[in-house]
Amino acid sequence: MLDKNKVKLGIAPIAWTNDDLPDLGAENTFEQCVSEMALAGFTGSEVGNKYPKDPEVLKKALDLRGIEICNQWFSSFIITKPFEEVEKEFRAQCEFLKAMGSKIIGASEQSHSVQGMQDTPIFGHKYEMNDDEWKTFCDGCNKLGKIALEDYGITMTYHHHMGTVVQSAAETDRMLDGTDSKYFNLLFDTGHFKYCDEDPTALVKKYIGRIKHVHLKDIRPEVVQKVKDEDMSFLDGVRAGAFTVPGDGCIDFVPVFETLEEAGYEGYMLVEAEQDPAVANPLEYAIKARKFIADKAGI
């Protein structure tokens, strides 16, 4: 069983309000979202578009509910924008996270990404970096990670993601081989690996030394198969219910929890399962996820 003194549990606001599909959860407020997170038994949250931008305002609202910010998505464009431009945006986000007391920033390279393209099938259309782009990307990741750690005391993690330049295990291997573990590590996402036919159990064991943040996401395999068969986009797959909370799909989370436990993992495990809140009630699914984690991970 995982050590509750080392491992904290969070949940993402994307189950209540979807930043990429604003109509999903448009009716749900920030206050409802964070109140229901606390009611379901979570103590951490990532940042959603409806969250107050002023750290003092946000911190007060979260403190009232016993919630803290544990990470925030950062869209990097290392291979398509001047590094100085990326650095400026990165520093601004690190400043915000430092003010919120967060120790993690989760980046994802969005150059040439098809994850947000509603008319582009998610399978078979992702961009492949060439050798020069790989070098630019890895060097840029190291630079950003050094800035995060040395200037803000924040650990940079990378969120591998469907439809982006780092999606598969092979791409994750190359990224980690080309970066410095002192400055740059991995946000391990069970659902995104499973979505592209990778084995989360094997990969959590392979990458355990570089994992600094965990996303617990399950998939419905019959929906993913539909996405493949019908050439659906990533976002259309979300609408169709490709993702769900741990224990409600096909992933075996027990060996994932066991690997994290054996390695003495410290940090957050965060439930991130974007669904249509009109179909999958966010509070109901948050409670379902919390009960599953308590049962299977002992925390």
Side-chain angles (χ1 to χ4, degrees):
M1 297 295 181
L2 286 161
D3 186 345
K4 64 182 179 181
N5 294 314
K6 292 182 177 180
V7 181
K8 297 180 179 180
L9 296 179
I11 190 165
I14 200 166
W16 282 265
T17 56
N18 193 302
D19 293 345
D20 298 316
L21 295 165
D23 62 299
L24 296 187
E27 71 282 3
N28 294 329
T29 65
F30 159 72
E31 290 81 6
Q32 176 190 344
C33 173
V34 293
S35 294
E36 291 186 354
M37 287 176 174
L39 187 60
F42 292 93
T43 60
S45 172
E46 294 185 351
V47 181
N49 279 348
K50 288 187 179 179
Y51 283 37
K53 303 297 188 289
D54 184 330
E56 287 189 17
V57 175
L58 178 56
K59 197 167 190 311
K60 181 178 180 180
L62 296 180
D63 285 348
L64 286 170
R65 296 163 172 87
I67 302 281
E68 65 179 353
I69 295 299
C70 59
N71 174 40
Q72 184 177 9
W73 170 284
F74 176 74
S75 293
S76 63
F77 292 87
I78 295 169
I79 64 172
T80 54
K81 287 185 178 182
F83 183 79
E84 293 74 21
E85 186 177 332
V86 177
E87 179 185 350
K88 182 179 179 181
E89 295 171 357
F90 186 75
R91 284 185 178 276
Q93 190 161 312
C94 284
E95 289 278 3
F96 173 80
L97 288 172
K98 184 178 180 181
M100 292 306 302
S102 176
K103 299 299 183 183
I104 298 288
I105 187 169
S108 184
E109 180 68 12
Q110 292 300 293
S111 298
H112 308 296
S113 172
V114 300
Q115 74 179 69
M117 297 181 180
Q118 297 200 47
D119 296 327
T120 302
I122 191 62
F123 287 102
H125 291 76
K126 72 178 292 299
Y127 185 82
E128 305 288 340
M129 289 190 285
N130 61 38
D131 289 345
D132 288 342
E133 288 169 327
W134 268 107
K135 185 176 190 319
T136 298
F137 171 66
C138 289
D139 288 349
C141 287
N142 279 331
K143 290 176 186 176
L144 292 179
K146 190 169 192 242
I147 288 167
L149 185 64
E150 294 186 350
D151 293 357
Y152 303 96
I154 291 172
T155 296
M156 182 177 177
T157 62
Y158 189 88
H159 189 348
H160 56 94
H161 198 289
M162 290 297 298
T164 69
V165 292
V166 180
Q167 170 180 292
S168 67
E171 289 161 340
T172 304
D173 288 346
R174 185 165 182 177
M175 175 183 70
L176 294 178
D177 288 344
T179 52
D180 187 342
S181 61
K182 180 178 179 181
Y183 299 117
F184 183 85
N185 285 283
L186 188 65
L187 187 165
F188 183 83
D189 190 304
T190 54
H192 280 285
F193 274 139
K194 188 67 174 177
Y195 203 117
C196 63
D197 297 321
E198 303 284 9
D199 180 359
T201 297
L203 294 179
V204 73
K205 292 176 181 177
K206 183 175 187 177
Y207 301 137
I208 189 61
R210 299 287 291 272
I211 295 172
K212 301 300 181 184
H213 195 67
V214 176
H215 276 182
L216 302 177
K217 184 200 298 275
D218 215 336
I219 67 165
R220 296 185 176 98
E222 69 280 6
V223 180
V224 173
Q225 189 61 49
K226 177 182 170 72
V227 172
K228 288 181 181 179
D229 294 343
E230 299 183 13
D231 289 331
M232 296 167 65
S233 68
F234 178 75
L235 296 179
D236 284 344
V238 169
R239 287 187 187 276
F243 294 121
T244 186
V245 297
D248 192 50
C250 68
I251 296 175
D252 183 2
F253 283 88
V254 171
V256 174
F257 294 148
E258 289 175 346
T259 300
L260 293 169
E261 176 196 2
E262 290 166 7
Y265 175 77
E266 293 189 44
Y268 263 94
M269 296 195 308
L270 183 124
V271 175
E272 190 207 32
E274 54 266 48
Q275 303 185 73
D276 182 348
V279 176
N281 180 275
L283 177 57
E284 177 186 347
Y285 275 78
I287 292 171
K288 182 182 294 189
R290 185 65 189 89
K291 287 180 177 177
F292 176 82
I293 296 168
D295 182 46
K296 302 298 183 182
I299 54 174

